[in-house]
């Protein structure tokens, strides 16, 4: 009897410990499917919204002015239902504000991790977060990928152009994980002579990249793989809209299912494809997403623009921020039974690879990124390809660029696109927007 009583107490303590752990976001984020119910998720989300709104109004001048101009106070916002009272902000609105107005008072920008958006919309924004905020948001990616079957010892091959590492982004956790051979991410530089060969030699369990890049590599992978080559468990697509044509090509070439993820530097993970329903789970415990049409929230099945509020960015908040993606509203919860709300399709921007002379190809987002890095003077840009051997970069600067800044852009892009292509930097007063954006 005493032994049974002791076992019962032990089980009770473990259940109590698990219940306490489930209250913490980090613990929940490491589980493939969130342990909260829909109602618990809503309560958690609303509590984060209240905390964020109070913080932003008191500490971030941009939002103090925004709230005052709209005639609202933090007391008016008790949860997601009240957020509609706050005006929607755009990238231009944030960009036009000074850094001091965008950051919370008392935060030292020199200690923040800075991420530059890719500029796929033609507008680059520097997003800044605390190290803890960055790590917490990154856990959402891990949860999403684990839901597809990623194991701790799996190797993830990532064909892409390397990004410069922010010196303030302490990599100790990643280094420890790599040392223990846990969740290893291996970068394959697509600028190298044989990225497909390098990927085949790696034998990754999972492959992740831009769909246009993966689509280009998939046929060669299929042609060169041997009987000893490992078939990936699944393929991760992100960074641009995944077309059905590219999905079919990638799946056929690599011989694996393709799962799509939507991310943005302002929010980290936004949504990930549900392997059961085919819809996309919104990352409800890291952001609150709204799909708007003519200023109103749409019903399931309606299309609109995606607007989001980051629930964990307090150093530089993003409240009712327009992402610029067209999506179709899904159901809450998702049809698969998980507690997450959903969107049914993503019809955002697709940046296709540019074909250059000699058969080379370059991604326009790479040109945008290298240009923004080379010269922070750029406010807005547009990549214009006239022919296989001529590309113009139209830039709208914050001020008149110097010759050294123009030369820096030219050097960075020419290195990217290679010889035989005429590249010109053209300073313009404004960017002409095409009907498709």
């Amino acid at each position: 009897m005493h032994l049974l009583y002791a076992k019962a107490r032990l089980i009770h303590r473990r259940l109590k410990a698990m219940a306490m752990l489930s209250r913490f976001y980090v613990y929940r984020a490491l589980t493939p499917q969130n342990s909260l119910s829909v109602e618990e998720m809503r309560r958690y989300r609303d509590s984060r919204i209240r905390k964020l709104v109070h913080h932003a109004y008191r500490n971030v001048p941009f939002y103090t002015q925004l709230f005052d101009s709209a005639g609202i106070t933090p007391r008016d916002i008790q949860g997601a239902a009240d957020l509609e009272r706050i005006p929607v902000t755009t990238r231009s609105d944030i960009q036009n504000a000074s850094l001091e107005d965008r950051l919370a008072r008392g935060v030292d920008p020199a200690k923040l991790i800075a991420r530059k958006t890719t500029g796929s919309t033609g507008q680059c924004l520097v997003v800044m977060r605390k190290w803890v905020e960055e790590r917490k948001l990154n856990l959402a990616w891990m949860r999403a990928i684990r839901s597809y079957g990623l194991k701790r010892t799996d190797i993830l091959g990532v064909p892409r152009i390397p990004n410069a590492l922010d010196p303030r982004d302490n990599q100790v956790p990643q280094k420890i994980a790599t040392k223990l051979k846990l969740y290893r991410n291996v970068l394959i530089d697509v600028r190298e002579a044989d990225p497909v060969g390098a990927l085949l030699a790696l034998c990754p369990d999972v492959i992740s990249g831009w769909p246009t890049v993966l689509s280009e590599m998939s046929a060669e992978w299929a042609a060169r793989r041997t009987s000893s080559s490992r078939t990936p468990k699944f393929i991760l697509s992100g960074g641009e809209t995944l077309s059905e044509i590219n999905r079919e090509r990638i799946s056929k070439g690599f011989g694996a299912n393709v799962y799509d993820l939507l991310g943005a530097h302002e929010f980290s993970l936004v949504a990930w494809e549900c392997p059961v329903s085919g819809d996309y789970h919104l990352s409800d415990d890291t952001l609150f997403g709204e799909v708007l049409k003519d200023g109103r929230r749409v019903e399931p099945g309606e299309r609109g623009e995606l607007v989001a509020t980051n629930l964990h960015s307090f150093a530089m908040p993003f409240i009712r921020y327009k992402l610029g993606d067209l999506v179709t509203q899904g159901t809450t919860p998702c049809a698969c039974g998980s507690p997450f709300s959903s969107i049914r399709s993503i019809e955002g921007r697709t940046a296709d690879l540019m074909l250059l002379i000699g058969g080379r190809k370059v991604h326009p987002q790479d040109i945008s990124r290298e240009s923004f890095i080379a010269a922070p003077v750029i406010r807005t840009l547009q990549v214009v390809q006239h022919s296989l051997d001529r590309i113009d970069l139209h830039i709208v600067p914050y001020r008149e660029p110097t010759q050294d800044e123009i030369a820096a852009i030219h050097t960075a892009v020419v290195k990217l696109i290679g010889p035989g292509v005429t590249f010109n930097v053209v300073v313009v007063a404004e960017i002409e927007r095409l009907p498709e954006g």
Side-chain angles (χ1 to χ4, degrees), residues 290-356:
E290 306 170 74
V291 183
L292 304 182
K293 182 178 181 180
D294 300 327
R296 65 171 179 84
R297 292 177 182 172
V298 304
E299 298 295 325
E302 283 190 276
R303 188 175 70 169
E305 287 190 272
L306 184 59
V307 171
T309 297
N310 192 323
L311 304 180
H312 295 285
S313 284
F314 283 69
M316 180 182 284
F318 290 91
I319 301 174
R320 298 206 82 203
Y321 177 81
K322 185 184 292 187
L323 280 163
D325 291 289
L326 287 175
V327 303
T328 299
Q329 179 69 61
T331 59
T332 303
C334 178
C336 71
S338 75
F340 302 101
S341 57
S342 67
I343 50 180
R344 289 182 183 164
S345 64
I346 300 172
E347 305 161 44
R349 307 172 189 88
T350 302
D352 294 322
L353 288 168
M354 291 178 170
L355 179 63
L356 305 178

Side-chain angles (χ1 to χ4, degrees), residues 100-147:
E100 292 76 14
D101 285 348
R102 285 184 268 157
L103 288 179
R105 293 187 182 92
V107 173
D108 182 359
K111 296 180 179 180
L112 299 179
I113 297 172
R115 306 288 188 204
K116 278 191 174 183
T117 59
T118 58
S120 60
T121 62
Q123 293 177 302
C124 179
L125 177 67
V126 178
V127 178
M128 308 184 83
R129 277 193 286 268
K130 294 181 179 179
W131 185 87
V132 172
E133 295 173 344
E134 183 83 358
R135 296 280 77 77
K136 187 178 289 188
L137 291 170
N138 284 347
L139 284 172
W141 289 96
M142 180 62 68
R143 175 181 60 197
I145 301 172
R146 278 171 54 86
S147 73

